[in-house]
Amino acid sequence: MAFARFSTNQQKFPLVYDTAWKGLVSSGSYITGDAGQDFGNSYYNDHHFHYAYFIHAAAIIASLEPQWLQLNREWVDLLVRDAANPSISDQYFPFSRAFDWYHGHSWAKGLFESADAKDEESSSEDAFFAYAVKMWGRVTGDPSMEARGNLMLSLLARTLRNYFLMQDGNTNHPAEFIANKVTGI
């Protein structure tokens, strides 16, 4: 199965644990010296976006092949912990690396400098990450994780509607911006 290349960490640039910022990162930037390798993954850029595809695919595979879940759960759980750790006492991963519970959405760009601060970059991939967390929680029988995914989806729905997808009558942005219907990066 193609997924095994990743769950056994045999891809071109295997994931490694970074002790400085406490997370799973691509070894690509360390090997090549290119900070942009693997879309900047070594610098925590877009972990929630990228890991969502693995988490969601894993949820689908596990729902079809329950024995696969037993062999791969730990690896997928690590991806979830890296981007959306629910524990403030976890010594290996920070609490909620990407999702900002106050603002109701995730931030992109990882450790990269940005003249205009961090950004939302992809609201659809942010929502997809929350959905992937929900589905992984469902298939693994973890009601807390499923509920966390649901809560993230609920917050995102409200936040995206009010601050990113500008409908007529939106009072959160200047009137001259509303005609654009969406915000820019």
Side-chain angles (χ1 to χ4, degrees), residues 11-34:
Q11 64 271 26
K12 181 177 180 179
F13 298 119
L15 294 178
V16 294
Y17 181 76
D18 168 40
T19 57
W21 294 95
K22 299 186 176 196
L24 291 177
V25 298
S26 165
S27 56
S29 294
Y30 304 139
I31 293 168
T32 67
D34 176 5

Side-chain angles (χ1 to χ4, degrees), residues 117-160:
K118 302 298 180 191
D119 62 53
E120 168 55 302
E121 191 175 307
S122 177
S123 57
S124 59
E125 286 180 303
D126 196 0
F128 183 65
F129 175 75
Y131 181 72
V133 169
K134 169 189 174 154
M135 297 313 295
W136 184 245
R138 177 173 290 174
V139 78
T140 60
D142 183 339
S144 177
M145 184 182 300
E146 183 178 355
R148 193 168 63 257
N150 276 329
L151 179 58
M152 291 167 69
L153 284 168
S154 295
L155 287 170
L156 280 162
R158 181 181 177 133
T159 300
L160 299 180

Side-chain angles (χ1 to χ4, degrees), residues 85-100:
N85 187 10
S87 174
I88 58 171
S89 59
D90 187 332
Q91 63 181 336
Y92 297 104
F93 296 92
F95 171 75
S96 193
R97 183 185 312 279
F99 195 79
D100 183 328

Side-chain angles (χ1 to χ4, degrees), residues 102-105 120 123 155-167 170-173 177-178 181-184:
Y102 179 79
H103 288 102
H105 66 85
E120 168 55 302
S123 57
L155 287 170
L156 280 162
R158 181 181 177 133
T159 300
L160 299 180
R161 183 177 57 253
N162 286 302
Y163 299 108
F164 294 94
L165 306 173
M166 298 180 284
Q167 299 172 343
N170 181 305
T171 59
N172 298 308
H173 291 283
F177 288 8
I178 304 303
K181 298 299 180 196
V182 297
T183 58

